[in-house]
Amino acid sequence: MRWQRARSRTRLVTGFGTALAATAALAVPLTAPTAAHATPPGPGVTSELIRQTTVGDTDYILRRVTLPPGQATGWHFHDGPLHAVVKQGTLSHSDATCASDGVYPTGSPVYEPPGADHVHIGRNLGTRPVVLEVLYVLPHGAPLSQDAPNPGCPFQ
């Protein structure tokens, strides 16, 4: 039974990897955009659902997140790991020490570990939108992100 669940999760994650690649070829949104779930997101930051499923007690949620030039996700953390691919633009990522913990150009993978001890912000310091395809792997029913206050950094 355990190996079947593990194999099902492996197939699901593999399937989402395929979905990430497949949706890269699609320029048509599958759902209407909604506000992103970070605080406070900059004006125009959107997130749209691509696919969602639950296996056991884990939610797998694939979303497309767009950050306009000069905008940010807001400070937040996740209750489960996040895997993403930068589809367009360059994402600048900072942790709660105000240090850059990554600059991710188009085509780069992004990983965000879970937990309140991993507060971060994603910013678009470029001149064109940053588009991410994001796989959230969360405990069933958990929000996409948890709001966090600015830890004292000179940027928001």
Side-chain angles (χ1 to χ4, degrees), residues 47-62:
S47 175
E48 60 185 285
L49 179 65
I50 297 172
R51 184 162 168 81
Q52 178 173 343
T53 193
T54 301
V55 176
D57 59 355
T58 304
D59 291 336
Y60 297 87
I61 305 164
L62 184 62

Side-chain angles (χ1 to χ4, degrees), residues 1-153:
M1 184 72 130
R2 268 190 174 174
W3 66 269
Q4 288 176 328
R5 263 187 289 178
R7 199 163 73 182
S8 291
R9 284 187 182 174
T10 300
R11 273 190 242 146
L12 180 65
V13 171
T14 301
F16 269 110
T18 302
L20 278 172
T23 54
L26 297 174
V28 179
L30 300 179
T31 62
T34 59
H37 295 282
T39 324
V45 174
T46 60
S47 175
E48 60 185 285
L49 179 65
I50 297 172
R51 184 162 168 81
Q52 178 173 343
T53 193
T54 301
V55 176
D57 59 355
T58 304
D59 291 336
Y60 297 87
I61 305 164
L62 184 62
R63 297 185 74 86
R64 182 174 300 114
V65 177
T66 303
L67 287 81
Q71 300 305 320
T73 62
W75 291 97
H76 65 281
F77 65 91
H78 308 280
D79 292 329
L82 178 146
H83 307 269
V85 175
V86 180
K87 303 306 287 180
Q88 177 183 301
T90 299
L91 178 70
S92 296
H93 202 272
S94 298
D95 64 22
T97 68
C98 306
S100 172
D101 62 357
V103 176
Y104 304 97
T106 300
S108 297
V110 179
Y111 172 76
E112 295 177 353
D117 55 336
H118 294 287
V119 171
H120 57 273
I121 189 170
R123 299 184 298 153
N124 180 355
L125 303 177
T127 58
R128 61 186 218 160
V130 167
V131 178
L132 307 167
E133 288 189 357
V134 182
L135 175 62
Y136 300 84
V137 182
L138 300 167
H140 181 61
L144 296 177
S145 65
Q146 299 278 351
D147 301 343
N150 182 327
C153 301

